[in-house]
Amino acid sequence: MIRQAKGKTPRRPPPKKTSNNQKDPVGVYCRVRPLGADDEECCIEVISNTTIQLHAPDGLKANRNGEYKETQYSFKKVFGIKTTQKELFEDVAKPLVEDLIHCKNGLLFTYGVTGSGKTHTMTGSPGQGGLLPRSLDMIFNSIGPYQAKRYVFKPDDKNGMEVQNQVDALLDRQKRDSQSAVPKTPNTRRIDPEFADMISPEDACRADGVDEDSSYSVFVSYIEIYNNYIYDLLEETPFDPIKPKPPQSKILREDQNHNMYVAGCTEVEVKSTEEAFEVFWRGQKKRRIANTQLNRESSRSHSVFIVKLAQAPLDADGDNVLQDKNQVNVSQLCLVDLAGSERTSRTRAEGSRLREAGNINQSLMTLRTCIEVLRENQMCGTNKMVPYRDSKVTHLFKNYFDGEGKVRMVVCVNPKADDYEETLLVMRFAEMTQEVEVARPVDRPICGYTAGRRQRNQAFKDELTRRLEERGGPVDGEFPTVLNQLLQSFPPLPPCEVSGPNDDVTLPRLIEALEKRHRVRQMMIEEYNKTANMLKSVLQEQDSNILSKENFIHEQRGKLGEKDKMIQNQKNEIDRLEKKSKMLEYKIDILQKTTNIYEEDKRSLQHELESREQRLQREMSEKRRMESRMQGIVTDAKLKWEKECERRVNAKQLEMQNKLWVKDEKLKQLKAIVTEGKTENRQPQRPSREKDKVPPKRSASPSPVPTGPAVRPLHRRSHSAGGERWVDHTPSTNVDLDTVLQPNIPNAIKVNAPNEKALSKCDKYVLTHQEVASDGEIQTKLIKGEVFRTRGGGQAVQFTDIETLKQENPVVASSSRKRRSSESGPDGEPMEGDWTDVETRCSVALEMRAGSNLGPGYQHHGYTKRRKP
Ligand code: ADP
Ligand code: MG
């Protein structure tokens, strides 16, 4: 069917109706109805007068893994559960009614799932009239006194409006009165109790700026679109109770202005709110009956109530409607209660019901697609074809979206959790819809007549009636009164009783009087014509004056329009910039946050660095302390070992010498025994080793002044008593230096080699030891010690001090060479001379321990290379 329609009506280029390119977005309002029961779960919250928030019901959240979050939707305005019908009307429908009265079209539809309050919003209930009865009331409150007589305006069945003359209109009225038994006067207020109190008188409101110099008429139609068929709900069909005829569907046509209309649809002229609502209610009843008879569900149909307002200027007298079809203006307001927007799955319908449901969805789907394409075309500048023709609803209203009037939508929502998923879809559609813009309707051109005609005419009529009443008192009608007055203003007729055919007296007198009257009349006519002409010219002059003024006003209006356009452009620019600045602000915000995070990082890293540095410092100082402690330990140990070594060396030396001496002594005794008698008084000899060596003579040359203390040129044997006794051990190998630098210890027992006897008598011991230093000088050391008694009854010496004296070697350098060679003598035994190596032969080992807490550390091991005994 749709395809046929497509084929029949070839696409014409869209009409250039307006030079206006100002656009307004589709006004989308949201109304939240109260919950049906207090214990129902709620999933909607009104968070401001433009925004609502949806939150997934608990069960759903669990099912979907928390996939659903809270979502917000913004609209031109949000009406909460406490909103009254009046408040909603004031905001949503009142501007549309004002537009209607000012010759502009409007489309208002309610959208939402079944039970969300669409019908409540559009129609309402007694005491709570909806947008429809309120709109009707406002229309009649505004144009009430300026309505044309019935049948003056007459629809031409091609979506146009004709104007009938008074006589034809009167004849039509008489025909209607005789045909219908319907009481013609609605003043009786015999209102159907079903819709009584739809509008309370105190809510009455009216539009401003109604043109009084026009005449108005209201026509209403009521159609239902079910299963993509259009039915006329006001069609008068003879009812056949036996075999009820199924209603005939209507088709859509395009008029000469390319506006869509339902062909052959009943348009009922109504003169009051009550009458109009009565007609609506008649349609409503018919709809209900049809639904029951055909087993249909009303929630699956779209209902469209169309209010047409015809208006035409009054003629120049301000008395009658101007008989010019081109001056008739028709505007219309469509009030649409759409079918429930729920998906097919929600209906438990089967068979044909399912098909219907599918179709309903299809038509809403088409509406959705159209809106989407429109939006895309507008936003992206594309020129995609909008599929209006795919469904009757969109096809019927295509002109609105192409810029033929204001479009508003009330999205109804039930906050109950069961509806959540469908409400979500409704919200998405609604939000998208408000991104579509439709052209703003233009103002009606001004007709050429002066304003205030109706009032002047009325005032004239009032004045005339008043005057006539003053002069002639109560009379039977307008015309006879005027005639009487005119007759009275003529000179009286003479008596005209004619005596006979030849009455020469009366007839001439009568002729004369009549002639006189004729002359007066002629004069009066002339006078009247003169005055009329004068008045006419004055009026014409004034008319042209007014016309030029009106032209001027028109011009100014045009300029104003341009200025408006400019302002609009600037506003758009401001909007754009504001958006941009918001975007930038957002970016700055993000950057600020990032910076903060980095700074925080930096601070924490710095903090860590500081703490690490502190730890390092601590460890370093710890290390230093350890080092110094270790150094101390090492020096201590070194000193101790040095002393110990010295002591041991000396002891060993002494012991060895002692042994040597004892052996020598034994040998001597043996020799003495052998050579008894020859050498009775022989003194004990030195060890043979030393015998080879010639005791050095004292050098004749004086030695250099010695360095060091405790050296005095004293006698060898001095008896100056001291508290202690010394064993003065001077090996016979010593060179007699013959200097004043000879240690002289009083009261000492001098020995070449230490013996037990001598030691047992003394408590101090001194060894005079000579050696050649590296510079060739002879070094004399006085090695002092203390004598102890050992447990075994022997004697031991513990060395306590070393004094060093230096003197030039009196023996030539060769002797020192000789001595050196003797250091490694044939017996391999080192001489005493190198025992000082002890001091120097200290090796240091470095050892680093891995994993030590103290870090790299040193441990000093001092080894003293021991001399072989
Ligand atoms: P729909 O037409 O969307 O299917 P209805 O208008 O028939 O929904 O509303 C269903 C029920 O809810 C009706 O009984 C109606 O009175 C009630 N209702 C809807 N909206 C409201 C509201 N705003 N305030 C009070 N009751 C409402
Ligand atoms: Mg409904």
Side-chain angles (χ1 to χ4, degrees):
M1 201 161 171
I2 300 159
R3 285 187 198 290
Q4 268 178 4
K6 255 186 191 169
K8 265 184 194 170
T9 41
R11 278 193 70 77
R12 271 166 277 185
K16 281 235 184 296
K17 280 170 192 154
T18 56
S19 57
N20 177 23
N21 43 22
Q22 280 177 303
K23 289 185 162 194
D24 292 314
V26 173
V28 179
Y29 300 83
C30 177
R31 186 186 204 183
V32 185
R33 60 158 282 185
L35 280 173
D38 286 344
D39 57 345
E40 265 183 326
E41 194 190 344
C42 177
C43 69
I44 291 175
E45 216 178 307
V46 178
I47 57 174
S48 79
N49 61 357
T50 55
T51 310
I52 64 165
Q53 181 167 295
L54 259 73
H55 42 88
D58 294 338
L60 204 67
K61 264 184 221 156
N63 285 345
R64 303 276 172 125
N65 252 343
E67 172 197 326
Y68 284 89
K69 287 183 301 226
E70 283 158 359
T71 40
Q72 291 189 354
Y73 296 92
S74 291
F75 302 99
K76 192 160 178 186
K77 197 158 179 187
V78 170
F79 299 96
I81 54 170
K82 295 212 174 85
T83 314
T84 62
Q85 300 279 61
K86 184 173 187 264
E87 283 163 3
L88 189 82
F89 171 77
E90 299 266 337
D91 271 318
V92 180
K94 200 175 168 184
L96 292 179
V97 174
E98 266 164 0
D99 274 5
L100 180 79
I101 288 166
H102 295 109
C103 300
K104 292 172 194 169
N105 297 328
L107 168 64
L108 172 64
F109 53 93
T110 52
Y111 185 91
V113 298
T114 299
S116 60
K118 295 185 298 295
T119 308
H120 176 79
T121 298
M122 192 55 89
T123 311
S125 49
Q128 282 192 300
L131 299 177
L132 188 146
R134 282 172 200 274
S135 298
L136 288 172
D137 196 45
M138 181 174 165
I139 292 167
F140 287 106
N141 284 337
S142 309
I143 61 157
Y146 317 123
Q147 289 192 78
K149 291 220 170 77
R150 217 179 279 268
Y151 300 120
V152 167
F153 289 102
K154 195 176 183 189
D156 66 356
D157 292 333
K158 282 177 272 176
N159 207 30
M161 201 64 78
E162 278 167 352
V163 196
Q164 292 203 108
N165 60 45
Q166 303 270 20
V167 180
D168 288 346
L170 185 68
L171 287 175
D172 274 358
R173 280 202 292 278
Q174 281 168 356
K175 203 161 83 188
R176 172 190 186 249
D177 290 349
S178 63
Q179 271 179 357
S180 68
V182 181
K184 66 166 187 180
T185 44
N187 305 359
T188 49
R189 287 200 167 243
R190 229 178 32 82
I191 301 169
D192 190 330
E194 263 196 278
F195 58 83
D197 299 328
M198 273 304 201
I199 320 111
S200 50
E202 62 268 23
D203 286 353
C205 63
R206 50 177 308 209
D208 297 323
V210 182
D211 182 9
E212 295 181 2
D213 292 317
S214 287
S215 227
Y216 301 85
S217 265
V218 176
F219 295 84
V220 294
S221 328
Y222 193 18
I223 59 168
E224 179 179 39
I225 302 175
Y226 189 91
N227 208 11
N228 213 24
Y229 287 104
I230 302 174
Y231 300 102
D232 182 356
L233 292 174
L234 302 181
E235 199 171 31
E236 305 266 1
T237 44
F239 181 65
D240 185 351
I242 298 153
K243 195 179 168 229
K245 244 178 39 185
Q248 290 294 301
S249 66
K250 301 282 177 199
I251 59 161
L252 287 178
R253 285 236 174 92
E254 197 174 353
D255 69 9
Q256 55 179 6
N257 298 318
H258 307 292
N259 288 323
M260 299 308 300
Y261 71 99
V262 181
C265 181
T266 316
E267 289 175 282
V268 182
E269 187 175 10
V270 286
K271 292 288 166 209
S272 69
T273 309
E274 290 75 18
E275 196 187 344
F277 200 73
E278 210 174 288
V279 172
F280 168 76
W281 209 249
R282 211 162 69 220
Q284 192 77 343
K285 270 186 190 161
K286 193 165 167 187
R287 188 180 170 201
R288 254 184 271 158
I289 291 165
N291 284 339
T292 344
Q293 279 177 353
L294 301 169
N295 193 22
R296 306 192 305 202
E297 241 179 86
S298 66
S299 69
R300 317 235 154 275
S301 70
H302 314 284
S303 77
V304 184
F305 189 74
I306 303 166
V307 186
K308 258 190 193 173
L309 180 68
Q311 52 187 299
L314 292 174
D315 60 11
D317 295 343
D319 200 9
N320 286 312
V321 177
L322 193 72
Q323 299 283 306
D324 180 358
K325 193 182 173 179
N326 295 325
Q327 292 282 355
V328 180
N329 233 299
V330 183
S331 48
Q332 68 174 29
L333 173 63
C334 289
L335 302 169
V336 188
D337 188 354
L338 286 173
S341 70
E342 54 273 3
R343 292 167 298 183
T344 325
S345 64
R346 185 166 137 144
T347 68
R348 270 146 280 129
E350 284 164 25
S352 69
R353 280 282 197 90
L354 192 70
R355 204 186 66 234
E356 290 158 15
N359 263 324
I360 282 145
N361 275 338
Q362 195 53 53
S363 67
L364 288 179
M365 275 300 290
T366 308
L367 176 65
R368 197 192 160 100
T369 315
C370 289
I371 296 275
E372 268 169 5
V373 175
L374 272 168
R375 175 165 152 265
E376 198 188 321
N377 282 348
Q378 287 174 4
M379 285 185 152
C380 314
T382 50
N383 198 15
K384 277 194 192 171
M385 200 188 86
V386 187
Y388 293 120
R389 287 156 185 254
D390 288 2
S391 96
K392 291 281 188 284
V393 182
T394 51
H395 200 189
L396 180 59
F397 298 126
K398 106 184 219 298
N399 309 109
Y400 284 96
F401 290 104
D402 283 343
E404 205 51 54
K406 229 178 236 174
V407 184
R408 289 192 166 184
M409 177 163 95
V410 182
V411 179
C412 298
V413 282
N414 189 341
K416 71 172 176 185
D418 290 352
D419 278 2
Y420 173 75
E421 286 189 87
E422 267 143 14
T423 302
L424 211 62
L425 297 175
V426 170
M427 290 293 129
R428 287 189 194 140
F429 169 68
E431 222 178 29
M432 183 183 67
T433 304
Q434 54 190 345
E435 284 174 13
V436 171
E437 292 186 324
V438 292
R440 189 178 294 175
V442 285
D443 285 321
R444 177 179 65 139
I446 301 152
C447 83
Y449 298 106
T450 53
R453 300 188 300 283
R454 186 191 290 275
Q455 255 185 359
R456 274 205 304 269
N457 181 261
Q458 193 61 49
F460 172 72
K461 275 186 186 163
D462 291 350
E463 181 65 18
L464 196 67
T465 327
R466 193 180 59 77
R467 284 207 194 154
L468 292 179
E469 277 169 5
E470 263 175 18
R471 282 197 202 172
V475 276
D476 283 331
E478 267 178 33
F479 184 71
T481 319
V482 176
L483 199 69
N484 282 345
Q485 280 189 346
L486 275 171
L487 284 175
Q488 276 164 21
S489 65
F490 284 110
L493 284 175
C496 46
E497 271 173 42
V498 184
S499 52
N502 300 319
D503 189 345
D504 291 341
V505 183
T506 318
L507 280 174
R509 246 201 327 227
L510 200 61
I511 287 167
E512 195 189 337
L514 284 174
E515 271 174 354
K516 208 168 151 193
R517 274 194 174 205
H518 182 72
R519 275 201 303 278
V520 170
R521 198 175 141 229
Q522 218 63 54
M523 252 165 60
M524 275 173 85
I525 285 170
E526 264 167 43
E527 187 71 15
Y528 172 80
N529 279 345
K530 233 163 76 189
T531 319
N533 280 341
M534 208 175 73
L535 211 67
K536 213 172 172 181
S537 68
V538 168
L539 281 175
Q540 264 165 1
E541 201 179 299
Q542 283 194 348
D543 262 359
S544 70
N545 252 352
I546 286 164
L547 215 62
S548 73
K549 279 201 180 125
E550 264 166 10
N551 281 343
F552 178 72
I553 288 170
H554 202 60
E555 218 170 79
Q556 295 291 318
R557 282 229 175 111
K559 278 185 192 164
L560 214 66
E562 265 167 36
K563 289 259 151 73
D564 268 353
K565 223 181 278 172
M566 247 165 69
I567 289 171
Q568 192 59 39
N569 284 346
Q570 304 220 328
K571 263 189 197 156
N572 288 347
E573 182 65 15
I574 288 169
D575 274 0
R576 199 180 60 76
L577 290 175
E578 262 173 10
K579 260 182 208 159
K580 206 168 142 188
S581 97
K582 248 185 215 159
M583 193 67 199
L584 287 174
E585 265 169 20
Y586 178 70
K587 274 186 189 163
I588 288 170
D589 214 39
I590 286 175
L591 286 175
Q592 192 74 51
K593 272 177 194 158
T594 320
T595 315
N596 284 351
I597 290 168
Y598 280 140
E599 263 171 12
E600 195 67 34
D601 275 4
K602 195 180 130 195
R603 265 202 295 281
S604 74
L605 285 174
Q606 246 164 6
H607 192 75
E608 204 183 316
L609 195 73
E610 269 164 24
S611 71
R612 280 191 185 191
E613 260 170 15
Q614 270 171 13
R615 220 172 72 197
L616 198 70
Q617 216 87 48
R618 265 205 317 276
E619 276 169 9
M620 292 262 273
S621 68
E622 181 74 12
K623 198 183 111 192
R624 272 200 294 279
R625 230 177 46 236
M626 278 303 283
E627 249 172 38
S628 66
R629 220 174 75 201
M630 279 310 182
Q631 221 128 39
I633 291 169
V634 166
T635 355
D636 281 359
K638 200 171 132 192
L639 264 169
K640 205 173 114 198
W641 277 107
E642 267 170 12
K643 271 185 190 156
E644 179 68 13
C645 283
E646 224 171 69
R647 193 184 62 76
R648 281 187 196 173
V649 165
N650 287 337
K652 206 73 189 170
Q653 203 179 17
L654 204 62
E655 198 187 318
M656 295 309 283
Q657 273 174 351
N658 279 346
K659 276 182 187 165
L660 214 64
W661 185 76
V662 170
K663 274 180 189 165
D664 271 1
E665 215 44 31
K666 277 178 184 168
L667 271 170
K668 269 182 226 163
Q669 279 171 8
L670 220 65
K671 206 175 167 184
I673 293 164
V674 173
T675 56
E676 189 95 17
K678 275 194 235 175
T679 54
E680 283 170 26
N681 299 325
R682 267 194 89 129
Q683 289 291 307
Q685 294 293 301
R686 286 170 291 156
S688 60
R689 228 176 6 146
E690 291 168 5
K691 245 200 272 185
D692 309 336
K693 293 180 183 169
V694 183
K697 290 277 176 191
R698 270 186 193 186
S699 163
S701 60
S703 295
V705 181
T707 56
V711 181
R712 284 170 292 152
L714 287 171
H715 298 290
R716 281 190 172 208
R717 286 182 187 268
S718 161
H719 290 283
S720 62
E724 44 201 18
R725 284 199 71 179
W726 289 82
V727 176
D728 185 0
H729 175 194
T730 312
S732 46
T733 51
N734 277 13
V735 182
D736 192 0
L737 294 171
D738 199 21
T739 63
V740 286
L741 283 167
Q742 286 295 323
N744 195 348
I745 302 158
N747 204 18
I749 303 172
K750 273 187 175 288
V751 289
N752 290 114
N755 58 56
E756 194 119 358
K757 205 172 131 200
L759 285 171
S760 64
K761 286 177 188 163
C762 301
D763 46 10
K764 295 273 184 183
Y765 169 90
V766 62
L767 170 69
T768 310
H769 168 74
Q770 284 182 337
E771 65 185 78
V772 181
S774 55
D775 52 4
E777 284 182 342
I778 285 184
Q779 222 173 47
T780 307
K781 283 186 175 166
L782 301 180
I783 299 157
K784 294 175 187 171
E786 281 177 35
V787 182
F788 295 95
R789 245 160 268 269
T790 60
R791 276 194 192 165
Q795 308 295 326
V797 176
Q798 182 162 14
F799 297 98
T800 55
D801 192 19
I802 300 175
E803 277 177 34
T804 308
L805 312 172
K806 272 191 180 177
Q807 190 168 6
E808 199 183 307
N809 195 356
V811 189
V812 282
S814 60
S815 91
S816 88
R817 261 200 305 278
K818 192 177 129 203
R819 259 200 83 206
R820 250 203 299 281
S821 68
S822 76
E823 276 175 16
S824 50
D827 52 0
E829 205 179 4
M831 307 290 290
E832 297 102 310
D834 62 354
W835 78 279
T836 48
D837 279 359
V838 171
E839 285 169 310
T840 54
R841 289 185 194 174
C842 215
S843 60
V844 174
L846 287 175
E847 185 180 296
M848 181 173 178
R849 276 193 195 169
S852 159
N853 279 344
L854 294 166
Y858 298 105
Q859 281 196 337
H860 295 206
H861 299 270
Y863 296 99
T864 308
K865 189 162 184 185
R866 301 209 179 172
R867 287 176 69 203
K868 275 183 194 168

